[in-house]
Each structure stands twice: as structure tokens, then as C-alpha cells.
Amino acid sequence: MTESFRRSGEYPQGDDHQSPYPQQQPVSSTPVNPEWPPPPAYIPAAPVTVEPGTTVWPGSGQGGNGGSGHGSYGGYPEPDGVSSTAVLTAEPIAATPTPTPTPASPKKRAKGPLALLAAVAIVAAAIGGGTAYGIQELTSKDATSSSTSTTVVPTAKKGTVAGVAQAVSPSIVEISATSNAGSSTGSGVIITSSGEIITNNHVISGASEIKVQLSSGKSYTATVVGTDSKKDLALIKLESAPSGLTVATLGNSDGVQVGDDVVAIGSPEGLTGTVTSGIVSALDRDVTVSTDESQGQQQQQGDGSGQWPFSFGGQEFNGDTGTSTTTYKALQTDASLNPGNSGGALIDMNGNIIGINSAMYSAADSTSSSSAGSVGLGFAIPINTVKSDLAGLRAGGSDS
């Protein structure tokens, strides 16, 4: 039960009862008489200074209600005789010095947010790496396909003609085709380790025998797998192909831009492994060539001209193309191309094959081979055209 204390004489206690001490009165449930003056505000007890080792709770009183919201005396002044301070004496406790925290080393701090960020970065890199690997796997299942992002050239020689020549020359071969009319020389590109070689149709057209000389100098017999005269393409394959053939990396000709540096490798005039360089001069040139097999035989007539007739821009070059012709889109280059470069490679500076050289213009009279030479006007079949035609060539080609 809550109790309330009053000072002696503050309120009437009756005629026959006087007490110098406050009397305990029951707490009334009715409001305080509004005619009575309000009680004075409670003044908190001042702090008490004691000896060390003594615990003090000011203003707690002896009969208080602990933590009630109105204090020990319900907001009224404490009685004079009631102590406002509770004092407990305790044995002094020696103060224990607080240890100075040792600063965390950078490595330990890194186990917090920095470590989390590092972990996230590693996971992201792993995911990114996994994605790139997946794409590479998808594109490398076909041994004859790749992208221009592939770098074949050694890092130390990246972007140099010497680096391209060193990396790609082993993939370029010299082709000698023999027929009843004579023989001619052209070039080809190894595209599979089993000995498949891509070249121009006009290089092997009408041939009764085909010899292929590798960059090592060794020669092998080859047979025709398929031809497509409408694209001037042919696929041949080595008989008893040796192991360890260097396969060319086929790029993406759709990514080629005018002004890109390029390298051409072939066997002009039988000079195996000749390397020339230049730029891409133009894209999507309409080049018209003959589809008549007799034109290939005319090239093999032994007069040394070795030039393949073609027409461009309404004019004919290197002779008459005949009445049976086909037109394809070609890359134009100013890299030096000469008779014998036909079927060879046009290469970007990462070592990717971006075209198969097919036609070149010589200002000299076609009957005088001694004065014939490149004037920086050459054409190559885009490698994407070649890749799209490979399945048909392996099946025998459109001319079968």
C-alpha cells in the first residue's frame, strides 16, 4: 500500500491528539481539496562528499518506493527526520589500468569491408572469365572459325609484319597444277590438321595432277575435294598428310575496315613464302571472273603470264573473261600481289586470315611477263565467304 507522510501540525489531527511527528494517513481516492495551497516543489538532495570506497545514492530516502515516477514522497518534501542519503561502506578496490588496445594491422583490417570488396571483385572476375571461356569454347569447336580478337602473333612481335610472317607462313603452301595444256603456280592456306587446303578455283581448274609444297620444302600430292566456280573457291586435301601441320586461324572479315594494315603471303612466280604488306584500300568491290574451265587451262599454257582475267568497274583486266562469268564481293588491297599469289592469304596484324587473294591487276601487256608487276590493285575473297562455303566444298562443291 502506498503511504503518505505529513509534517506535524500541517493538517488537523483532532483535539485530543498532538504529535511532533508526521502521522500516517490513508491515501484518499478523492482529489486534494482545491482550497489547500499547493505543496512546495521537491528540491533534490545535493551530492554528498564521502571518503573513497563509499557508495552513495542521494535522495533515495528510507521509505521510498524505489523507481516510482513520483519519488519517495509522492512529490512532497521529505520529513526532517528522514535521511535523504543512503551510505554503504565498502573496501576500496584497487583500480586496474585499462589496457591500451593494439592497433589492428592493415592485413587484419582487410578482413572487414575491404576483404568483402576484394572477394566480390574476385568472384566477378571469375564469372567474367568463365563467360569468356564459354564463348571461346563455342567458337573453337569448328577448327576453321575464330574471331579477329584471336592473336596468333607472338606478344613480343605483335603488330609487326615480321611477327605476322613468322606466325602464319607455315600455314601457307605453294600449289603446282599440271594439265595437258601446261602448268601453273598458285598458293593455298592450310585450314585443318588433316591437310585440307583452301585455294582459288582457277588455280586448280582442269588440273590432272596437283602438288603441294609446304613451308618446310617437302612436297605432297593433293586431290580435289570440291570446287565452287561461282565464288572462285576450291578445297583440296593432302594425301598422306604429315602430322604437326600448322593450321591457319580464320578471322572475321566483317570487322575489317578501310585503312587496316594487312600482310599478304604467297608464291608469286614460284617464289615460295613471299611476304608483302599494305592496307585495306576498299570494301565490297564487285569483281567479275570467269567460270569457264578453259580459262584456267589458258592460264596454264606455259607462256609464263600466269594472270587470271577479271573485270572490275566495267573494264577487263589480264585478258578476256569469256562469256561465262560470276561476280563476288571482294576486299581491295594495295599489298603487292603478283601471278602466283592467287589462293594465298591476306592477313590482319593479329595473324588472322581475313581473305583469300584472288585477282590482281598488272599494267603491263599480258604477253610480256618480264615486265608484268603489281601496281597496288589487288582483290581478295572475304574469309567469311569462304567459311560459309566450306560445308558445300566438303560435299563436293556446286560444280560437282
Side-chain angles (χ1 to χ4, degrees):
M1 176 183 294
T2 303
E3 296 180 351
S4 176
F5 294 89
R6 300 291 185 268
R7 292 182 184 274
S8 175
E10 185 173 356
Y11 300 110
Q13 302 295 325
D15 295 336
D16 56 353
H17 180 78
Q18 298 291 332
S19 174
Y21 297 102
Q23 299 299 319
Q24 180 174 348
Q25 299 293 336
V27 177
S28 175
S29 61
T30 61
V32 178
N33 191 330
E35 295 181 358
W36 294 346
Y42 172 74
I43 302 175
V48 179
T49 303
V50 296
E51 293 296 328
T54 303
T55 304
V56 179
W57 290 274
S60 61
Q62 291 180 341
N65 60 4
S68 67
H70 299 290
S72 302
Y73 293 90
Y76 295 96
E78 293 180 345
D80 295 335
V82 179
S83 172
S84 63
T85 303
V87 179
L88 297 179
T89 302
E91 292 296 330
I93 300 175
T96 303
T98 304
T100 303
T102 304
S105 64
K107 290 184 180 180
K108 291 183 179 180
R109 284 197 298 266
K111 293 181 179 179
L114 293 179
L116 178 59
L117 292 176
V120 172
I122 292 172
V123 172
I127 294 174
T131 303
Y133 177 79
I135 294 174
Q136 183 180 10
E137 281 296 298
L138 289 175
T139 57
S140 63
K141 287 183 180 179
D142 183 354
T144 62
S145 65
S146 68
S147 67
T148 53
S149 62
T150 303
T151 301
V152 181
V153 180
T155 303
K157 295 184 178 181
K158 186 177 180 180
T160 66
V161 174
V164 173
Q166 177 183 343
V168 184
S169 288
S171 304
I172 312 303
V173 301
E174 178 180 307
I175 299 175
S176 298
T178 303
S179 70
N180 294 332
S183 63
S184 66
T185 301
S187 304
V189 179
I190 300 173
I191 61 170
T192 63
S193 58
S194 61
E196 287 185 329
I197 297 170
I198 196 76
T199 186
N200 288 140
N201 178 63
H202 71 260
V203 170
I204 54 88
S205 178
S208 57
E209 183 182 36
I210 300 173
K211 290 288 186 181
V212 174
Q213 181 177 316
L214 304 181
S215 61
S216 63
K218 295 183 179 180
S219 295
Y220 297 84
T221 300
T223 57
V224 177
V225 176
T227 60
D228 186 352
S229 60
K230 291 181 173 58
K231 294 183 176 67
D232 196 17
L233 291 172
L235 183 67
I236 63 176
K237 187 174 182 180
L238 299 178
E239 295 180 353
S240 303
S243 61
L245 290 175
T246 302
V247 178
T249 302
L250 307 188
N252 178 11
S253 53
D254 288 343
V256 176
Q257 298 180 8
V258 173
D260 283 351
D261 292 327
V262 290
V263 174
I265 303 179
S267 298
E269 303 292 354
L271 300 174
T272 306
T274 296
V275 177
T276 58
S277 64
I279 64 169
V280 174
S281 303
L283 307 174
D284 298 326
R285 293 298 199 192
D286 290 325
V287 174
T288 300
V289 296
S290 176
T291 58
D292 191 350
E293 185 176 293
S294 64
Q295 293 290 340
Q297 294 174 347
Q298 289 177 16
Q299 183 186 359
Q300 300 168 356
Q301 284 180 352
D303 58 8
S305 66
Q307 299 186 72
W308 177 241
F310 73 97
S311 63
F312 169 71
Q315 300 183 40
E316 288 190 341
F317 302 95
N318 305 338
D320 184 8
T321 58
T323 57
S324 178
T325 62
T326 185
T327 302
Y328 58 82
K329 298 289 185 180
L331 302 174
Q332 181 181 332
T333 180
D334 68 349
S336 180
L337 300 178
N338 291 285
N341 274 115
S342 290
L346 188 67
I347 314 158
D348 68 17
M349 299 309 291
N350 286 326
N352 300 289
I353 311 299
I354 59 171
I356 299 298
N357 298 321
S358 58
M360 64 290 302
Y361 168 63
S362 174
D365 186 351
S366 61
T367 61
S368 178
S369 62
S370 60
S371 60
S374 173
V375 294
L377 187 61
F379 301 93
I381 301 169
I383 201 63
N384 284 7
T385 300
V386 177
K387 290 192 290 187
S388 66
D389 204 32
L390 278 176
L393 290 172
R394 285 174 175 143
S398 60
D399 297 329
S400 60

